[in-house]
Amino acid sequence: MEVSRLPISASQRGKLVSAGYSSLSSLSSISPSHLATELKISENEALEILKAASHGCRLDSFEGSHAIVNGAQTAWEMLQDEDMLTRITTSCTDLDNILGGGISCKEVTEIGGVPGIGKTQLGYLFAILDFCINLELLLLLRGNRNYRIQLAVNVQIPADYGGLGGKAIYIDTEGSFMVERAMQIAEACIKDMLEYDGLLRKDSQTRHLKMQPKELLGNIFYFRICSYTEQIAMINFLEKFVSEHRDVKVVIIDSITLHFRQDFDDMALRTRVLSGMALKLMKLAKTFSLAVVLLNQVTTKYSEGSFHLSLALGDSWSHACTNRVILYWNGNERYAYIDKSPSLRSASAPYSVTAKGIRSLASNSKRIKMM
Amino acid sequence: MANKLISEMGLPRSIANDALSLTEFELMELLDVNLKEVTSAVAHISEIACPPHQTALSLLEQRIQVEYLAGHLPTRLEGLDVALCGGIPFGVLTELVGPAGIGKTQFCLKLSLLASLPSSYGGLNGRVIYIDVESKFSSRRYLRNALTIYVISKLCDLDQLELDMQNFENVESTLLRMIEIGVNSFPEVFYMEGMAQEMAGRILVLRPASLSEFTESLQQIKVSILQKQVKLLVVDGMAALVTG
């Protein structure tokens, strides 16, 4: 590795090169005081340079037969991890089925659709259902056809905890978060859970689910973002925030597109900023085992002689997210389509938006006829 | 180091903008510091530039306790108010869409009235900025509505919030005739009360001729909103504004 690639300041680099040190090997056997006198810098600075150099050396060399690169996992270990992976249900059976149980933690999922299709409703849902579902338990319950309950509760949480574990971060760029609606969904969610709890626990000792809708609302951290600078700052700050609030399980950004659609003259800058954001979010999801949900808008694209709708922010953004779900209208019904996923099949599932939030398709999902 | 100084200053927006848009290497070149300092500086800047957070619960409590009328402007149309969880919400944009002649401008006039009424009549007691692109604002009709409410309250001896605007619509037509007669016969009565002037004075009507004129006046509008306790901003004719 060359000296030019060391993470040191430009003037230090310049001094090194002009003193004749152009490769790391030349720095390997020198002492800090010697370097300090040669470059006319302080001994502390020389020590730092040598530390950076030795770190660079270590990354390059493969020691003997181990050849394990720092941070890598074998595929077997990853498989074990995936089995333990928890998912967040969407409380709509069909939707959960195509998603393999729900939105997965540790991954970034992008959900996009036309205005009014229910993106924000899904956002509310993930913010409130911020507890994790044990996948095996979910499959067990799905098989039980007597109960049409669409939720599952993590049984490992002790009764006196009183809560359901996870908190949520809701980043609102559009101002579409309405507290009253979140309250409605929280109340409906608790009612459903009480019903389920009664049915599940009737054999074993009764355990009361002491949960108030207000407690659920207290688990949502709400940020209101008004410009793209704030958005970038927010995503940079998320790492610190989540490390201080370790019980956060889901981050919802509604929507990532709004501030990036108009203020940019320099499209290259936009692409760069967006990819940076995507990488940071992926790292966040992986490090803290979060589910990251990004809501996107649509735009019109002209290709092959016709106009059709596609998700906003361009082709380079399309590559950035791990999973992609597109919401669309089919006649009078709302459908979700898995557009991109590393492990799930492409499939469509209908859902409906009710007073209780997102539910499976019933008869009341009529589209409002525009005049 | 120069870096520390930047971190310690309260940053104006433009610096935060540049700092967050540039890559780490560009920042290293610019500030002549090493990578570790750049990352910590960016983290610090992000923390400062990031807006403060609150839980959804505190948001709800704030709405109920602090904001007037729980953060909504009731439209007095019962079904709509229930659907909107109280009325037109504060702090967000609400769009009224419909074909020609359906009543959008009348709806806007009514909302302006509701916003400018004193709190004892169930209003927001504030001013309204009405951006009238298509020249549809009728101050006559507005005043007539305002005076109607005043007359009803006097007749029914009500000066409390319990004035039921639902029934008001039905009563209005009969009373309108009364008022017209009243205004024509005793114009001084109404005008001496000063109410007409007060009510009419709370609506600031703007008639921009073009989009550029409107965007130029936005800054002034911002200042007026802060200085004059404006509670409602109506743009009547968004499409006309943009395509004109």
Side-chain angles (χ1 to χ4, degrees):
Chain A
M1 192 165 132
E2 299 301 323
V3 156
S4 55
R5 282 162 62 186
L6 279 181
I8 52 180
S9 74
S11 54
Q12 286 174 341
R13 212 181 302 140
K15 286 183 189 159
L16 268 179
V17 171
S18 56
Y21 298 99
S22 54
S23 70
L24 284 189
S25 48
S26 53
L27 285 172
S28 56
S29 53
I30 200 165
S31 75
S33 46
H34 189 81
L35 192 64
T37 36
E38 275 229 19
L39 299 183
K40 297 194 186 44
I41 53 179
S42 73
E43 236 186 87
N44 276 337
E45 283 187 49
L47 196 59
E48 273 190 40
I49 295 176
L50 285 176
K51 244 200 289 183
S54 67
H55 186 69
C57 262
R58 228 180 308 126
L59 284 177
D60 272 340
S61 65
F62 292 109
E63 288 163 335
S65 59
H66 281 287
I68 299 286
V69 181
N70 229 3
Q73 269 184 312
T74 61
W76 179 251
E77 285 162 6
M78 284 179 71
L79 187 63
Q80 305 291 317
D81 281 347
E82 267 184 40
D83 279 346
M84 307 267 286
L85 201 65
T86 46
R87 286 174 178 270
I88 304 182
T89 182
T90 57
S91 57
C92 164
T93 335
D94 297 322
L95 210 50
D96 279 345
N97 284 340
I98 61 165
L99 286 170
I103 300 282
S104 64
C105 298
K106 277 197 166 189
E107 280 183 355
V108 177
T109 309
E110 184 188 355
I111 301 179
V114 292
I117 192 99
K119 304 187 293 291
T120 307
Q121 304 305 312
L122 267 176
Y124 284 130
L125 200 79
F126 295 130
I128 294 192
L129 291 182
D130 50 11
F131 46 87
C132 295
I133 311 322
N134 190 303
L135 191 59
E136 287 164 324
L137 184 62
L138 191 66
L139 291 173
L140 188 72
L141 283 169
R142 290 282 178 272
N144 194 339
R145 293 200 198 282
N146 288 333
Y147 308 125
R148 293 231 171 196
I149 316 268
Q150 294 153 328
L151 297 173
V153 179
N154 190 338
V155 295
Q156 291 156 9
I157 291 177
D160 41 37
Y161 182 75
L164 297 165
K167 297 203 172 165
I169 295 179
Y170 195 100
I171 299 174
D172 187 4
T173 57
E174 295 178 340
S176 49
F177 184 80
M178 230 162 64
V179 211
E180 293 86 358
R181 176 63 172 151
M183 189 72 166
Q184 251 182 2
I185 297 183
E187 282 165 356
C189 168
I190 288 179
K191 230 175 70 171
D192 278 353
M193 278 191 319
L194 280 173
E195 203 181 316
Y196 163 78
D197 199 44
L199 287 165
L200 181 69
R201 299 270 157 215
K202 64 180 180 186
D203 299 331
S204 52
Q205 75 278 15
T206 47
R207 182 175 67 132
H208 291 293
L209 201 66
K210 294 190 199 70
M211 195 98 227
Q212 294 299 318
K214 291 201 167 174
E215 274 180 62
L216 281 180
L217 284 189
N219 286 342
I220 305 176
F221 292 109
Y222 175 77
F223 289 84
R224 175 77 169 96
I225 304 281
C226 300
S227 72
Y228 81 88
T229 317
E230 283 186 9
Q231 197 169 330
I232 303 174
M234 174 77 233
I235 292 181
N236 288 342
F237 176 60
L238 264 182
E239 196 177 332
K240 177 156 181 236
F241 189 83
V242 177
S243 56
E244 283 167 7
H245 297 91
R246 281 292 184 141
D247 43 4
V248 168
K249 292 279 190 293
V250 64
V251 176
I252 301 145
I253 306 188
D254 178 16
S255 57
I256 25 130
T257 9
L258 185 69
H259 297 298
F260 285 92
R261 281 185 99 162
Q262 60 266 2
D263 282 337
F264 281 84
D265 304 315
D266 182 7
M267 288 311 248
L269 174 67
R270 189 181 94 159
T271 312
R272 190 157 42 75
V273 169
L274 284 173
S275 353
M277 259 172 49
L279 282 174
K280 286 188 197 119
L281 288 170
M282 276 196 266
K283 183 175 165 209
L284 201 70
K286 184 166 168 298
T287 328
F288 297 104
S289 288
L290 302 177
V292 178
V293 178
L294 307 177
L295 301 178
N296 200 353
Q297 298 171 349
V298 287
T299 182
T300 317
K301 208 165 155 181
Y302 182 74
S303 76
E304 296 158 16
S306 69
F307 289 99
H308 59 268
L309 289 176
S310 70
L311 294 198
L313 296 179
D315 288 326
S316 43
W317 175 256
S318 310
H319 295 299
C321 290
T322 319
N323 301 300
R324 186 175 251 206
V325 177
I326 297 185
L327 307 178
Y328 64 96
W329 284 105
N330 186 355
N332 274 340
E333 292 165 356
R334 295 176 157 96
Y335 274 79
Y337 171 68
I338 308 273
D339 187 46
K340 175 184 169 193
S341 163
S343 55
L344 298 166
R345 287 173 49 204
S346 275
S348 268
Y351 67 96
S352 69
V353 177
T354 64
K356 295 190 192 180
I358 303 272
R359 291 288 185 269
S360 289
L361 192 62
S363 57
N364 52 345
S365 61
K366 290 287 172 284
R367 181 183 195 170
I368 299 160
K369 287 269 185 268
M370 295 292 281
M371 289 182 276
Chain B
M1 293 216 118
N3 216 26
K4 290 216 176 74
L5 284 174
I6 293 178
S7 306
E8 266 147 33
M9 279 194 260
L11 281 176
R13 180 60 55 81
S14 53
I15 295 190
N17 202 359
D18 289 336
L20 295 173
S21 310
L22 296 173
T23 62
E24 286 164 339
F25 287 105
E26 283 171 342
L27 284 172
M28 274 165 66
E29 290 287 326
L30 208 61
L31 299 171
D32 196 23
V33 290
N34 63 25
L35 183 65
K36 213 169 55 154
E37 300 210 23
V38 162
T39 13
S40 78
V42 168
H44 200 83
I45 293 174
S46 302
E47 194 173 342
I48 298 174
C50 184
H53 70 274
Q54 47 181 178
T55 61
L57 184 61
S58 67
L59 207 64
L60 183 68
E61 282 165 355
Q62 203 182 45
R63 275 224 140 150
I64 295 175
Q65 286 159 14
V66 175
E67 286 193 36
Y68 187 65
L69 291 179
H72 290 271
L73 168 62
T75 60
R76 302 291 183 179
L77 299 170
E78 208 175 291
L80 187 59
D81 279 345
V82 166
L84 289 175
C85 300
I88 310 272
F90 294 173
V92 291
L93 299 176
T94 304
E95 188 184 8
L96 278 176
V97 179
I102 201 148
K104 302 185 291 294
T105 306
Q106 300 311 323
F107 198 93
C108 290
L109 282 181
K110 184 168 187 198
L111 285 178
S112 315
L113 177 63
L114 291 170
S116 55
L117 280 179
S119 352
S120 48
Y121 293 95
L124 295 181
N125 201 32
R127 291 190 140 91
V128 177
I129 292 185
Y130 196 102
I131 295 162
D132 185 19
V133 183
E134 295 163 341
S135 302
K136 282 189 181 164
F137 183 81
S138 156
S139 45
R140 200 169 291 277
R141 175 160 180 135
Y142 173 76
L143 270 177
R144 205 194 298 157
N145 284 349
L147 289 171
T148 312
I149 297 171
Y150 180 74
V151 166
I152 291 177
S153 73
K154 288 288 182 194
L155 287 176
C156 308
D157 213 27
L158 285 170
D159 55 354
Q160 286 303 310
L161 191 64
E162 306 314 310
L163 188 66
D164 185 3
M165 303 278 261
Q166 194 79 20
N167 294 326
F168 156 74
E169 299 291 353
N170 301 328
V171 178
E172 185 188 8
S173 42
T174 30
L175 280 176
L176 270 177
R177 298 255 4 254
M178 284 172 59
I179 289 171
E180 265 171 8
I181 299 168
V183 169
N184 292 335
S185 325
F186 306 101
E188 314 87 25
V189 177
F190 286 93
Y191 285 90
M192 252 164 40
E193 301 274 6
M195 201 193 136
Q197 195 173 3
E198 169 75 27
M199 294 302 297
R202 287 191 180 181
I203 302 215
L204 304 153
V205 180
L206 276 166
R207 295 216 159 115
S210 67
L211 184 61
S212 47
E213 206 180 301
F214 174 61
T215 37
E216 276 165 16
S217 59
L218 270 179
Q219 190 58 29
Q220 288 173 328
I221 291 175
K222 208 164 153 185
V223 171
S224 318
I225 290 177
L226 293 169
Q227 284 177 343
K228 294 189 183 172
Q229 288 194 311
V230 173
K231 294 282 163 64
L232 176 67
L233 177 65
V234 178
V235 180
D236 186 359
M238 200 67 216
L241 188 63
V242 173
T243 58

